[in-house]
Amino acid sequence: MNFKNTTTHYNTLSIALHWLMFILIVTVYGSIELRELFDKGTETRDAFKMWHFMLGLSVLALVSVRVVARVVGGSVPAIHPEPAKWQDKLAKFVHLALYVFMFAMPIAGWLILSLAGKPVPFFGLELPPLASENKELGKTIKEIHETAGEVGYYVIGLHAAAALFHHYILADNTFKRMLFSKK
C-alpha cells in the first residue's frame, strides 16, 4: 500500500479512509434518522441508537488513523489549474471544520452516554465513561451535539458540492486527487 502522496493523488491509505469514512458518516446519520421511524422503547429503535453510538466511535478511531496518514503522506497534491486564493482559504477552513467535527462529535456522544450514566457500547465492548454521572450537563452537551449534527449536514454538503463544482464546472483535478489512480 502506498503511504506517500504523489504529485497527482493522495496516498492509497488516505483515499481508502476518505471513502470509508464517507460511507461510515452516512451510516451514522442514517442510523440516528431511521430510529425516528420506531416508537420509543422498542428494540429496533434502541438498536439504531446503539449502531449510531458504535459507528460514531468508529469515526473517532478512523479519523485518528487518517490524521496520521495525512502527516505521513507528505505534501498535498497540487490542484491544476491553481484555484483562486479565496477558494483555497475556504477549502482549508472547511477541511479543518470537518476534522474538528469528526473528532468532536464522537467524543461528545461518548460524553453524553457517560454523563447519563449509561454504558458506552463498542462492538461487544463497553468503553469506560469519560466523566461521572451529571444528567444536566449531559442534556446540555446533547443539545450541542444535535445542533452540531444539523450543521454537519451543511458542512458535508458544502464539501461534496465544492468537489463536484471543481470537477464538472472548473474541470480541475481537485476531485481526481481523491480517487484511486490507475497504474
Side-chain angles (χ1 to χ4, degrees):
M1 183 176 284
N2 179 11
F3 294 106
K4 290 289 184 188
N5 297 332
T6 67
T7 57
T8 59
H9 286 82
Y10 283 95
N11 65 72
T12 306
L13 180 60
S14 291
I15 294 170
L17 286 169
H18 176 272
W19 294 110
L20 178 60
M21 290 187 75
F22 164 73
I23 293 165
L24 190 58
I25 290 169
V26 166
T27 308
V28 168
Y29 270 106
S31 62
I32 204 63
E33 295 294 343
L34 287 171
R35 88 183 191 298
E36 293 292 328
L37 298 174
F38 303 93
D39 293 329
K40 288 186 179 184
T42 61
E43 285 183 33
T44 306
R45 183 181 177 107
D46 290 344
F48 274 113
K49 285 172 41 179
M50 183 186 63
W51 279 105
H52 176 76
F53 302 144
M54 292 189 309
L55 295 172
L57 289 167
S58 298
V59 168
L60 179 61
L62 287 180
V63 74
S64 301
V65 174
R66 195 159 171 203
V67 167
V68 171
R70 180 126 185 187
V71 170
V72 170
S75 298
V76 172
I79 298 173
H80 296 292
E82 189 175 333
K85 294 287 183 217
W86 70 268
Q87 288 176 339
D88 188 53
K89 288 184 188 299
L90 181 59
K92 283 182 171 66
F93 175 76
V94 170
H95 279 106
L96 177 62
L98 286 168
Y99 275 95
V100 167
F101 178 81
M102 290 184 288
F103 275 107
M105 290 298 281
I107 292 170
W110 190 348
L111 198 52
I112 291 163
L113 289 175
S114 298
L115 292 167
K118 295 180 179 176
V120 183
F122 190 67
F123 300 102
L125 302 174
E126 187 176 314
L127 299 180
L130 294 178
S132 56
E133 192 171 324
N134 182 335
K135 293 190 189 249
E136 280 305 308
L137 180 57
K139 287 178 185 176
T140 301
I141 293 172
K142 184 177 181 182
E143 288 175 13
I144 294 167
H145 181 77
E146 289 172 352
T147 301
E150 290 174 21
V151 170
Y153 279 118
Y154 296 100
V155 176
I156 293 165
L158 176 62
H159 175 69
L164 295 173
F165 175 77
H166 276 270
H167 187 71
Y168 290 108
I169 306 300
L170 298 180
D172 65 20
N173 68 331
T174 299
F175 184 70
K176 290 178 184 174
R177 298 177 314 156
M178 195 49 79
L179 298 176
F180 293 103
S181 65
K182 297 175 184 168
K183 293 187 178 186

